[in-house]
Amino acid sequence: MGARIPAWSSGRLERLLGLDHPIVQGPFGGGLSSVALAAAVSEAGGLGSYGGHILSPGELTGLVAELKAATTRPFAVNLWVPHPGEEKLRAEPADVDRLRPYFEELGLPAPEPGRQAGQDFDEQVDALLAAGPPVLSFVMGVPPARVLAEARRRGIATIGTATTVDEAIALEQAGLDAVVASGSDAGGHRGAFLRPVGESLVGTFSLVPQVADAVSVPVIAAGGIADGRGVAAAVTLGAHGVQIGTGFLATEESGASALHKAALHTPDARVTVLTRLFSGRLARAIPNRFVREMAASEAEVPPYPVQNALMLGLRREAARRGLADLVNLWAGQAAPLTAAAGARDYVGRLLAETGEIMGDRR
């Protein structure tokens, strides 16, 4: 502690979570998170985060221990709330055949049809509740009431993610302590859960003031924010803090590959698309050869987690070989505003730029 809450901040998010600054690092799944990044952001006075949705209960227990050893400051672990019935989905032969040419290109065996098992959410969340991270954050839905009650009993703060005003209201009514208003500008997966994603694509700076008017809990703006201008705009529109994903993905400590980080700083990052091709769930990425060649199959690929499991080996091997044309280059619409830097330096730059724009309101 010890750092003064910024003069331009209401202080509500900082007091709720024990932060110095209202800056939250977006949680990345799929191996893009790192303990080093989360710890660096937390040590800088913000809220470091780790996306844990692909981790087993045992791995989550170990993760929390690692994070507690790396920082004494608050941090968050994020989980995906499962959609009803997704655990029963199976890969059909046609789903495998659609991808077979790419596996052959890399000399890999194609996956087998059948059920593509993911993690059990109840087991994951029980492991996390027992491990006791300071903050639990959720995307893709409203966590069960018993989870929120147990988190409250254990003194664990909870954050939910909304892509529409109605979702924000549902999260507040369920008892979440804060709400991320995630605009369609954001990179990675869209978390719509009340209406189809196509009916839930609200831009960040349209969404934030509406959510701020609709709920009484602290609102965290996310999507298209990568520098102090974005932070100042979000706060001016009623947000109590910001969550930044792509900007932290570009930092030295993130788990993104060198080719992914490099792509964020090329002219290609000026264009991003929403695609289901990599995971079966709509996500924003920089388009590459795989996205363009498979564009006609967008509506045919199976839902998450089936497509995600089918693609996992292909993505990992392509990343290992440095083949940017075959990997998921998640990126938000503000990617061209990012720069290579250490996470602590990035937090410092965000605060300095925002302070210069907002001035001292005390």
Side-chain angles (χ1 to χ4, degrees):
M1 306 293 281
R4 189 182 73 159
I5 291 173
W8 43 264
S9 173
S10 69
R12 287 190 63 194
L13 189 67
E14 293 93 321
R15 289 189 288 272
L16 172 68
L17 302 179
L19 311 178
D20 293 336
H21 316 302
I23 295 175
V24 178
Q25 171 232 321
F28 315 126
L32 299 178
S33 287
S34 74
V35 170
L37 174 59
V41 176
S42 292
E43 287 294 304
L47 184 70
S49 305
Y50 197 108
H53 75 276
I54 67 170
L55 301 182
S56 70
E59 289 170 331
L60 289 168
T61 300
L63 169 67
V64 173
E66 282 189 70
L67 286 164
K68 286 182 176 180
T71 179
T72 59
R73 304 301 306 272
F75 60 84
V77 179
N78 179 269
L79 288 181
W80 289 17
V81 177
H83 290 184
E86 68 180 28
E87 75 282 357
K88 300 177 182 178
L89 296 172
R90 298 173 58 87
E92 301 299 330
D95 299 325
V96 176
D97 289 341
R98 193 179 298 116
L99 299 172
R100 195 176 300 278
Y102 297 99
F103 282 93
E104 291 176 351
E105 179 180 334
L106 298 187
L108 297 174
E112 294 294 325
R115 197 170 83 83
Q116 307 294 317
Q119 298 297 334
D120 183 288
F121 173 80
D122 288 326
E123 293 178 358
Q124 286 180 311
V125 79
D126 285 345
L128 281 177
L129 288 168
V135 182
L136 275 176
S137 66
F138 299 91
V139 293
M140 310 297 178
V142 179
R146 66 103 183 164
V147 172
L148 297 176
E150 184 62 15
R152 193 172 301 112
R153 189 184 75 79
R154 292 173 179 265
I156 300 171
T158 55
I159 301 174
T161 305
T163 65
T164 65
V165 174
D166 289 341
E167 290 177 356
I169 293 171
L171 291 165
E172 180 181 38
Q173 290 177 342
L176 278 293
D177 295 315
V179 171
V180 174
S182 178
S184 59
D185 320 41
H189 287 90
R190 303 305 304 144
F193 58 90
L194 288 183
R195 301 176 70 87
V197 177
E199 298 178 15
S200 307
L201 297 175
V202 186
T204 303
F205 295 115
S206 295
L207 180 63
V208 168
Q210 295 180 65
V211 170
D213 287 349
V215 301
S216 60
V217 296
V219 175
I220 304 165
I225 301 169
D227 62 16
R229 291 171 294 184
V231 178
V235 170
T236 300
L237 291 173
H240 302 95
V242 298
Q243 179 173 286
I244 296 176
T246 307
F248 282 111
L249 192 66
T251 61
E252 296 165 1
E253 295 91 341
S254 95
S257 65
L259 66 89
H260 193 163
K261 292 178 183 179
L264 298 176
H265 310 308
T266 67
D268 290 344
R270 296 171 187 164
V271 176
T272 58
V273 296
L274 288 167
T275 178
R276 295 179 60 246
L277 294 171
F278 290 106
S279 71
R281 189 167 282 171
L282 210 62
R284 186 173 295 284
I286 299 169
N288 55 13
R289 175 167 68 91
F290 181 80
V291 170
R292 294 186 177 101
E293 289 180 352
M294 291 284 289
S297 299
E298 277 282 350
E300 300 171 11
V301 299
Y304 179 90
V306 175
Q307 180 73 359
N308 190 65
L310 292 176
M311 286 290 296
L312 191 57
L314 180 69
R315 297 198 318 251
R316 286 178 174 171
E317 181 62 16
R320 189 186 71 81
R321 298 189 193 184
L323 303 176
D325 267 346
L326 296 177
V327 296
N328 45 306
L329 299 173
W330 302 142
Q333 290 185 323
L337 300 177
T338 66
R344 290 187 71 117
D345 289 342
Y346 182 45
V347 171
R349 179 165 69 85
L350 290 168
L351 294 170
E353 291 174 352
T354 307
E356 184 175 349
I357 294 166
M358 300 292 284
D360 194 329
R361 293 181 173 183
R362 295 184 190 272

